[in-house]
Amino acid sequence: MPASPTAQVATRPTPAGSASLERGDPARFVYRWPSFLPEGMRSSIGETRIAREDEVGDGDIGFYLVTFNGDAGKIVIGGGAVEPFSLSGPIERVNLGSYTARVVTQGDQTLIVIDDGAPGALFVFGIGIARDDLVRVAASLEPIDPREMRRRAGVE
């Protein structure tokens, strides 16, 4: 059985600030799900966190971190009140349909931070995933209802 990726990243992103069920509007930003994933990638329930109904983070917006694992690598998609992974390396600017994004590569790790104009962050991070495949994942992100997102991720 192939070993799972063991590369270490500087910091695992977490929801920014403490989440609250009592304030804010979790619908102020758009939850996004990929319509493309490289073959063999599966949702990792233990590494996925999607805001519950009416749960928000800093800025009174929702949040999610969805992790997919495969034999060769890992993909994390994060949005809303989360901080992206921190990588240092050359920065490349790319167009993803109507959005622009920054791509940072450090060894076998790649971070794509997407400027979709919504509050909070939107990023795609990969370890051991080909840069072109990760860009394709980022370009395939489509709006999804948070309940459906939790169902697809297996965390409902």
Side-chain angles (χ1 to χ4, degrees):
M1 175 179 273
S4 60
T6 58
Q8 297 295 314
V9 292
T11 308
R12 172 129 176 98
T14 56
S18 60
S20 166
L21 297 172
E22 324 225 323
R23 60 182 168 79
D25 176 6
R28 276 187 56 210
F29 83 106
V30 177
Y31 288 77
R32 296 186 181 274
W33 188 265
S35 60
F36 167 79
L37 285 170
E39 190 169 325
M41 299 303 289
R42 298 166 304 285
S43 176
S44 175
I45 295 169
E47 299 175 275
T48 292
R49 174 78 166 90
I50 302 168
R52 297 178 308 267
E53 293 293 324
D54 301 322
E55 183 179 20
V56 295
D58 278 358
D60 293 339
I61 58 175
F63 56 87
Y64 60 93
L65 292 166
V66 179
T67 302
F68 300 91
N69 288 316
D71 292 337
K74 175 185 295 276
I75 296 173
V76 179
I77 301 171
V82 295
E83 293 295 322
F85 288 88
S86 177
L87 295 184
S88 60
I91 298 174
E92 172 191 3
R93 300 213 180 272
V94 297
N95 288 318
L96 302 173
S98 60
Y99 304 128
T100 59
R102 296 181 316 275
V103 180
V104 181
T105 304
Q106 180 181 332
D108 71 342
Q109 302 176 49
T110 302
L111 173 68
I112 302 172
V113 180
I114 304 163
D115 179 13
D116 66 349
L122 178 58
F123 67 89
V124 178
F125 171 80
I127 299 174
I129 303 294
R131 177 211 170 273
D132 289 347
D133 280 346
L134 207 61
V135 168
R136 189 169 168 200
V137 170
S140 80
L141 294 177
E142 298 177 342
I144 187 171
D145 178 83
R147 289 175 299 276
E148 175 63 12
M149 178 183 245
R150 286 190 293 275
R151 187 193 68 72
R152 285 189 191 179
V155 296
E156 190 60 29

